[in-house]
Amino acid sequence: MEQQPNLNYIKDLSGDDSAFEEKFISVLKEEIPLEKEEYIRCITAVNYKDTASIVHKLKHKLNILSLTEDYKLAVIYEEDLKKGDSSLNDKFLIILNKIDVYIKNL
């Protein structure tokens, strides 16, 4: 079963501080689309070093959105990119699209 993003981690972290939750969500809404765009630019340019750096940033957001299985894939993908292997690109794009849609609907 495919994992779906959620805010459980943020809610646990906030301790019922709604202002903190809103700020955290605001940062995600701002950063994820920009990082997705940067990822696409780097992977299209076959710049695997910079692509790995973007995947590194994004993998932490996957954890924040409770996507532990997707996080594990991102860890492997980041290492693969450092070796010049982009074979997980299609799977990673599916993950990016999933979180992009999710945060746009928050």
Side-chain angles (χ1 to χ4, degrees):
M1 185 170 99
E2 181 182 339
Q3 289 184 307
Q4 292 302 314
N6 64 64
L7 301 177
N8 294 345
Y9 176 81
I10 295 171
K11 290 183 183 300
D12 288 345
L13 190 63
S14 75
D16 294 326
D17 181 343
S18 59
F20 175 83
E21 285 180 28
E22 290 300 318
K23 178 67 175 166
F24 211 111
I25 291 166
S26 174
V27 169
L28 290 175
K29 287 178 126 179
E30 180 181 327
E31 290 181 356
I32 288 174
L34 295 175
E35 289 170 355
K36 177 184 174 189
E37 185 178 300
E38 182 70 5
Y39 170 82
I40 292 168
R41 187 184 66 72
C42 289
I43 197 72
T44 302
V46 192
N47 183 341
Y48 295 150
K49 181 179 179 231
D50 287 350
T51 305
S53 177
I54 299 294
V55 170
H56 179 80
K57 288 187 222 176
L58 283 161
K59 76 180 179 187
H60 297 294
K61 291 178 176 75
L62 298 177
N63 242 358
I64 290 167
L65 293 171
S66 303
L67 296 169
T68 54
E69 294 304 313
D70 293 339
Y71 173 84
K72 290 175 188 177
L73 182 134
V75 169
I76 294 166
Y77 186 37
E78 178 185 0
E79 291 306 312
D80 287 354
L81 285 165
K82 290 176 184 177
K83 298 172 192 168
D85 177 1
S86 65
S87 61
L88 291 174
N89 176 53
D90 290 344
K91 289 182 180 181
F92 196 70
L93 279 172
I94 290 168
I95 294 167
L96 290 182
N97 289 333
K98 174 173 57 176
I99 62 172
D100 195 35
V101 167
Y102 179 75
I103 62 157
K104 285 179 180 172
N105 290 313
L106 288 177

